[in-house]
Amino acid sequence: MPMQVEHELHERRKGRNYGLGLILAGFIAVIFGLTVVKVLQLGDTAQFERFDHVARPQIIPEEGVGE
Amino acid sequence: MGDYFALLKPRVMSLVVFTALVGLLVSPVPVHPFIGFVAILCIAVGAGASGALNMWWDADIDARMKRTAGRPIPSGRVEPGEALGIGLALSGFAIVLLALATNFLAAFLLAFTIFFYAVVYSMWLKRATPQNIVIGGAAGAFPPMIGWAVATGGVSIESVLMFALIFMWTPPHFWALALFVKSDYGNAGVPMLTETHGRDATRKHVIIYTLLLVPVAIGLGFTSIGGPLYLAVAVVMNAWFLKGAYDIWRRTDADCEADKHRVEIKVFKVSLYYLFAHFIALMLEAALRLYDLGGW
């Protein structure tokens, strides 16, 4: 015997739930795609690292290097 | 699910998508295709959200008119509260995402459009004045301006004239329809020009607004997004529409009864071709400019 009894309401709501699932998946795809495009538009990846809000010594130009 | 989709007025949404896309594509600033897609999606969702808010507010009117009695709320398939929730949630989603994906001006214009349609038109003007369609038409005129703002981040004479083209076109287009469709707006307590001022006054309004529309449509041809092709299309379409409006103005109710509104039906169809042709011509000019052929 199944743990949860399938109610007629569940069957009726199936279409709505699938639709909502698709909308959420689409939303994730849009946000992900937008993130990729926005990051790629920055050109320089070091720019992206600056969004980490954490000090990154490796992206700070060292004084005297190459002199 | 279909009922929720119907709340978004998909037919209105398709016109919004088309005009917003033209506004976006004819602008001089290139937009990344994915960002352009997201922007159009936001504008479409924003338009749908304002449709849901309109249906929530107008459920009482809709229930009293044959044309709208089958809509999701008056027919009982969707609760009014659900429509309000969907309208507000989608409005917020569309505005915030448009701001993040493009710029604040475009998002502000979208927010203003939703506010204008849901509050200024639906809640206030629609039930208050027979000029409701004139000022309410502004809501439908904003999308190309938003599309332009998405690309350029600004407002300019080109986007203002695209707005003005739809704004001035809406009244004669709608009144041509009102002259041949037997509506029950009167029963629902909505003042429509044909019923408050009569059919003769409506005919006069059609010719006046068409005369005001012509300089806007022709003027757009002399801006940076116009060109010889657009101007040729505009001259032909304006002459055609103006001739139709003149024919309507010269007619009487007896003429309409005699030929079963043949002229009004024809002019309504011409008005649809009119708007479509102008925006297609703008797109063609933009396409030609890519090959150094379009524009002035």
Side-chain angles (χ1 to χ4, degrees):
Chain A
M1 188 181 165
M3 291 286 284
Q4 199 178 347
V5 180
E6 190 73 8
H7 194 273
E8 176 262 344
L9 192 69
H10 296 130
E11 191 60 38
R12 268 197 294 138
R13 287 204 168 158
K14 201 172 261 178
R16 192 189 296 188
N17 292 338
Y18 280 133
L20 193 61
L22 278 175
I23 289 169
L24 288 174
F27 177 66
I28 292 165
V30 163
I31 299 296
F32 179 69
L34 204 55
T35 309
V36 170
V37 170
K38 288 274 181 187
V39 168
L40 290 177
Q41 278 185 340
L42 292 172
D44 176 15
T45 46
Q47 294 263 354
F48 178 54
E49 291 195 12
R50 289 197 181 108
F51 286 122
D52 282 357
H53 305 286
V54 175
R56 291 286 192 99
Q58 70 269 32
I59 64 168
I60 299 169
E62 281 181 47
E63 281 181 35
V65 173
E67 283 177 9
Chain B
M1 207 68 200
D3 291 326
Y4 292 120
F5 188 61
L7 277 181
L8 310 182
K9 298 195 176 181
R11 273 167 60 193
V12 176
M13 212 197 262
S14 61
L15 181 68
V16 165
V17 165
F18 171 62
T19 56
L21 188 65
V22 174
L24 181 76
L25 293 178
V26 302
S27 78
V29 184
V31 176
H32 189 285
F34 191 77
I35 292 186
F37 162 75
V38 173
I40 296 296
L41 180 73
C42 289
I43 297 169
V45 170
S50 58
L53 293 172
N54 167 272
M55 283 205 202
W56 162 71
W57 184 259
D58 277 351
D60 59 329
I61 297 179
D62 288 348
R64 274 179 274 160
M65 295 196 294
K66 239 183 280 171
R67 183 177 67 86
T68 53
R71 282 182 174 174
I73 301 176
S75 61
R77 299 194 305 275
V78 172
E79 290 292 318
E82 280 183 292
L84 174 65
I86 288 172
L88 290 175
L90 290 183
S91 297
F93 161 80
I95 294 163
V96 170
L97 190 59
L98 190 63
L100 293 172
T102 64
N103 57 69
F104 284 111
L105 178 73
F108 167 76
L109 287 173
L110 181 63
F112 186 71
T113 305
I114 296 169
F115 167 78
F116 201 89
Y117 187 67
V119 178
V120 178
Y121 172 70
S122 302
M123 295 185 184
W124 178 31
L125 294 172
K126 188 172 176 179
R127 298 168 195 236
T129 164
Q131 297 292 323
N132 46 20
I133 200 70
V134 178
I135 306 159
F142 273 112
M145 200 183 224
I146 304 173
W148 180 274
V150 161
T152 64
V155 173
S156 63
I157 183 71
E158 291 86 354
S159 66
V160 169
L161 283 176
M162 280 191 284
F163 168 89
L165 180 67
I166 304 179
F167 181 67
M168 297 308 300
W169 164 87
T170 307
H173 160 77
F174 184 81
W175 285 326
L177 174 75
L179 280 168
F180 69 83
V181 169
K182 288 245 178 297
S183 77
D184 35 14
Y185 278 113
N187 303 337
V190 179
M192 295 312 286
L193 196 64
T194 42
E195 288 168 21
T196 57
H197 290 65
R199 303 167 64 82
D200 278 337
T202 307
R203 291 187 190 98
K204 208 179 284 176
H205 273 72
V206 169
I207 184 78
I208 290 170
Y209 276 90
T210 309
L211 283 168
L212 293 171
L213 169 66
V214 172
V216 173
I218 302 288
L220 189 56
F222 294 102
T223 64
S224 71
I225 58 171
L229 175 71
Y230 171 86
L231 204 58
V233 169
V235 167
V236 171
M237 294 311 294
N238 278 278
W240 197 14
F241 197 20
L242 201 53
K243 166 79 169 61
Y246 176 80
D247 289 344
I248 284 182
W249 179 49
R250 303 300 296 162
R251 280 158 69 82
T252 61
D253 285 350
D255 297 331
C256 295
E257 290 301 321
D259 64 8
K260 295 196 172 74
H261 305 279
R262 190 180 59 83
V263 172
E264 287 76 11
I265 293 170
K266 193 183 133 207
V267 174
F268 175 72
K269 283 183 186 162
V270 170
S271 75
L272 290 170
Y273 303 146
Y274 177 95
L275 195 71
F276 194 65
H278 277 83
F279 277 84
I280 288 286
L282 287 175
M283 285 247 267
L284 289 175
E285 285 286 356
L288 287 172
R289 269 197 298 279
L290 292 175
Y291 302 99
D292 287 328
L293 291 169
W296 296 107

